């Protein structure tokens, strides 16, 4: 279950995988005839969610996940408690199927899935269909999320991105409707250019510059910390060497020593926090893996075995959202993960009447031949 969820990112997809492969799951009889017996049967969605939400499988000991409340009829009913309000939480209390970090990632994924069709998050979970930007398109006129509509053309399903908020909510007209093939093609070309060796080398060069600056800041913090240690030690020696009978001087020196110790502790905590933040930088091994993306990403993206859902997941790792504005041309404004933005300008698709129109040179040739030739 955990391995399948790691690959699919959806509890429903886990259930579909088990059903398609004919896998069974054990269930224990809790009451009635045969109490305590174990049976093998099909796996349902609620059981998958129960397992994924249970921290015990991550090796944690937990108490206080639920509390007893009263419903409208004053009958006792269980109420789920948020994780930050659990009475007891001891990670790594025993060996688990997954790590605590993976458990928290699973909870975040399930939360995103549960709110996928909430306000402002329509269709953020990848679904079937070839529309590459499903759930990530914003209307450039009204700012709402655009929907995907499919139309069968020449034996294939062609996607259209439509802003139907006014139409659905207020019985108005469509804000804009844009054919999605050339939009998806422009985004695909851009991603293949970004995940290329020159672009990644430039990103790693910036990373190296940031690392150098962080090392300089670390050296400066170490100097300040060493100075604070020296001053604290100096205050300690002054306090130890003072005459105990001179209470006023002793109290002043003690207060000064305590102040130096507090300052030293604050600097030490600040340095620890900065050091933990610096751990997020890319190591040499990770940098090599990033550079390998320049070869792996285009190959995986273009592989015929890569499904549209998997491509949408790749897009979700790189792109936050895309805003479309259809005027004389189609303006595409892309916001990447991390805050970077980029704009593209794509010409409007040629109308079908223009596509099917006979070439002007052919028409001119026919007009000329009509003078000397018959229809045959």
């Amino acid at each position: 279950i955990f391995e399948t969820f790691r690959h699919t990112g959806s509890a429903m997809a886990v259930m579909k995988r088990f059903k398609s492969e004919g896998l069974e799951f054990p269930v224990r009889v809790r009451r009635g005839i045969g109490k305590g017996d174990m049976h093998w049967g099909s796996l349902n969605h609620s059981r998958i969610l129960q397992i994924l939400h249970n921290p015990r499988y991550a090796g944690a000991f937990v108490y206080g996940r639920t509390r007893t409340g009263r419903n409208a009829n004053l009958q006792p009913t269980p109420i789920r408690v948020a994780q930050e309000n659990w009475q007891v939480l001891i990670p790594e209390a025993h060996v688990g199927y997954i790590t605590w970090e993976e458990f928290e990632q699973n909870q975040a994924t399930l939360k995103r899935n549960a709110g996928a069709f909430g306000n402002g998050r329509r269709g953020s979970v990848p679904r079937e269909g070839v529309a590459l930007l499903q759930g990530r398109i914003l209307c450039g006129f009204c700012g709402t999320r655009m929907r995907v509509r499919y139309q069968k053309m020449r034996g294939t399903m062609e996607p259209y991105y439509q802003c139907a908020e006014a139409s659905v909510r207020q019985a108005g007209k469509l804000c804009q409707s844009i054919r999605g093939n050339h939009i998806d093609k422009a985004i695909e070309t851009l991603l293949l250019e970004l995940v290329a060796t020159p672009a990644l080398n430039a990103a790693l060069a910036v990373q190296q510059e940031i690392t150098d600056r962080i090392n300089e800041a670390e050296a400066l913090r170490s100097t300040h910390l060493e100075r604070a240690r020296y001053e604290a030690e100096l205050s300690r020696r002054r306090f130890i060497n003072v005459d105990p009978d001179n209470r006023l001087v002793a109290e002043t020196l003690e207060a000064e020593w305590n102040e130096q110790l507090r300052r030293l502790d604050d600097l030490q905590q600040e340095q620890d926090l900065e050091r933990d933040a610096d751990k997020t930088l890319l190591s040499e091994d990770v940098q090599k893996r990033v550079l390998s993306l320049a070869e792996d990403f285009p190959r995986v993206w273009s592989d015929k075995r890569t499904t549209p859902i998997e491509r949408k997941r790749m897009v979700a790792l790189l792109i936050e959202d895309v805003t479309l504005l259809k005027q004389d041309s189609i303006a595409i404004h892309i916001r990447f993960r991390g805050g970077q933005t980029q704009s593209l300008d794509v010409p409007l698709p040629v109308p079908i009447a223009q596509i099917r129109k006979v070439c002007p040179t052919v028409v001119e040739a026919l007009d000329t031949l009509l003078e000397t030739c018959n229809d045959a």
Side-chain angles (χ1 to χ4, degrees):
I1 286 180
F2 292 112
E3 183 178 357
T4 306
F5 183 78
R6 193 180 303 124
H7 293 160
T8 60
S10 167
M12 183 62 69
V14 174
M15 186 182 68
K16 290 181 179 179
R17 178 76 62 83
F18 269 67
K19 183 176 180 180
S20 64
E21 298 186 5
L23 300 177
E24 295 183 335
F25 194 79
V27 59
R28 185 80 64 180
V29 179
R30 297 299 181 184
R31 60 180 64 88
I33 300 176
K35 180 180 179 181
D37 295 343
M38 187 183 72
H39 299 280
W40 290 83
S42 59
L43 184 63
N44 58 39
H45 185 249
S46 61
R47 180 58 177 155
I48 297 174
L49 290 177
Q50 182 183 11
I51 293 173
L52 293 174
H53 283 302
N54 195 335
R56 184 177 301 172
Y57 296 104
F61 175 79
V62 173
Y63 179 77
R65 293 176 62 202
T66 59
R67 63 179 179 85
T68 302
R70 299 284 178 175
N71 58 17
N73 298 323
L74 299 182
Q75 296 177 342
T77 180
I79 300 176
R80 190 178 298 276
V81 178
Q83 180 175 331
E84 56 270 15
N85 296 327
W86 291 349
Q87 299 181 32
V88 179
L89 172 57
I90 306 176
E92 300 181 359
H94 55 84
V95 179
Y97 289 97
I98 58 175
T99 63
W100 182 252
E101 290 75 15
E102 184 174 353
F103 172 78
E104 292 186 327
Q105 292 176 2
N106 291 347
Q107 302 313 299
T109 302
L110 291 171
K111 185 177 181 180
R112 288 195 303 268
N113 294 354
F117 290 90
N119 187 20
R121 291 191 50 79
R122 184 181 306 279
S124 60
V125 177
R127 302 182 67 85
E128 294 78 5
V130 297
L132 186 63
L133 300 176
Q134 167 252 321
R136 305 201 169 273
I137 294 288
L138 299 177
C139 177
F141 292 105
C142 62
T144 59
R145 291 194 178 270
M146 300 178 68
R147 307 185 182 197
V148 179
R149 178 182 69 85
Y150 289 97
Q151 179 176 338
K152 192 171 184 180
M153 298 178 61
R154 297 186 296 273
T156 60
M157 301 300 293
E158 301 287 345
Y160 283 79
Y161 297 120
Q162 294 183 336
C163 179
E165 192 70 16
S167 174
V168 173
R169 306 291 183 189
Q170 303 169 4
K173 296 182 179 180
L174 291 176
C175 231
Q176 56 180 345
S177 178
I178 306 174
R179 189 172 177 179
N181 275 347
H182 57 296
I183 304 294
D184 292 348
K185 189 65 178 178
I187 296 296
E188 176 182 344
T189 303
L190 177 63
L191 291 180
L192 292 177
E193 291 176 356
L194 290 177
V195 189
T197 302
L200 294 179
N201 284 331
L204 293 177
V206 174
Q207 174 77 18
Q208 184 60 43
E209 183 178 352
I210 295 175
T211 303
D212 296 339
R213 293 185 180 181
I214 287 176
N215 292 334
E216 295 175 2
E218 176 70 19
L220 185 60
R221 288 195 299 266
S222 298
T223 302
H224 291 170
L225 192 62
E226 189 63 30
R227 179 67 179 177
R229 287 198 189 99
Y230 171 77
E231 293 178 355
E233 179 63 20
L234 186 61
S235 299
R236 185 188 70 85
R237 290 201 302 266
R238 288 173 180 171
F239 174 72
I240 291 176
N241 294 331
V242 72
D243 186 359
D245 294 333
N246 196 343
R247 294 184 177 180
L248 182 59
V249 177
E251 290 177 357
T252 303
L253 292 176
E254 183 180 12
E256 182 183 351
W257 183 25
N258 289 333
E259 179 63 27
Q260 295 295 339
L261 289 176
R262 281 193 293 269
R263 181 170 177 270
L264 176 62
D265 183 63
D266 292 341
L267 287 174
Q268 184 66 56
Q269 292 183 8
E270 181 182 355
Q271 187 179 35
D272 293 340
L273 290 175
E274 294 292 341
R275 187 178 291 114
D276 292 339
D278 296 346
K279 289 180 181 179
T280 59
L281 295 174
L282 301 181
S283 62
E284 293 184 3
D285 180 57
V286 176
Q287 290 184 14
K288 293 180 180 178
R289 291 166 56 191
V290 169
L291 286 175
S292 67
L293 287 175
E295 299 178 359
D296 295 339
F297 181 77
R299 179 168 52 85
V300 174
W301 183 276
S302 304
D303 197 317
K304 295 181 179 179
R305 294 171 294 180
T306 303
T307 63
I309 292 181
E310 292 169 339
R311 289 193 178 93
K312 293 176 188 179
R313 290 200 180 104
M314 290 187 242
V315 170
L317 295 175
L318 299 172
I319 294 178
E320 185 71 32
D321 53 49
V322 177
T323 302
L324 297 183
L325 191 62
K326 181 180 179 181
Q327 293 176 326
D328 295 334
S329 61
I330 301 176
I332 307 175
H333 304 287
I334 306 146
R335 186 160 61 103
F336 294 98
R337 297 286 186 181
Q340 288 288 101
T341 60
Q342 187 165 344
S343 297
L344 302 174
D345 195 72
V346 177
L348 292 172
V350 180
I352 188 64
Q354 190 68 29
I355 295 176
R356 293 179 176 177
K357 188 176 181 180
V358 179
C359 181
T361 55
V362 176
V363 176
E364 184 179 354
L366 288 173
D367 289 339
T368 304
L369 293 173
L370 280 175
E371 302 295 333
T372 57
C373 302
N374 56 25
D375 292 343

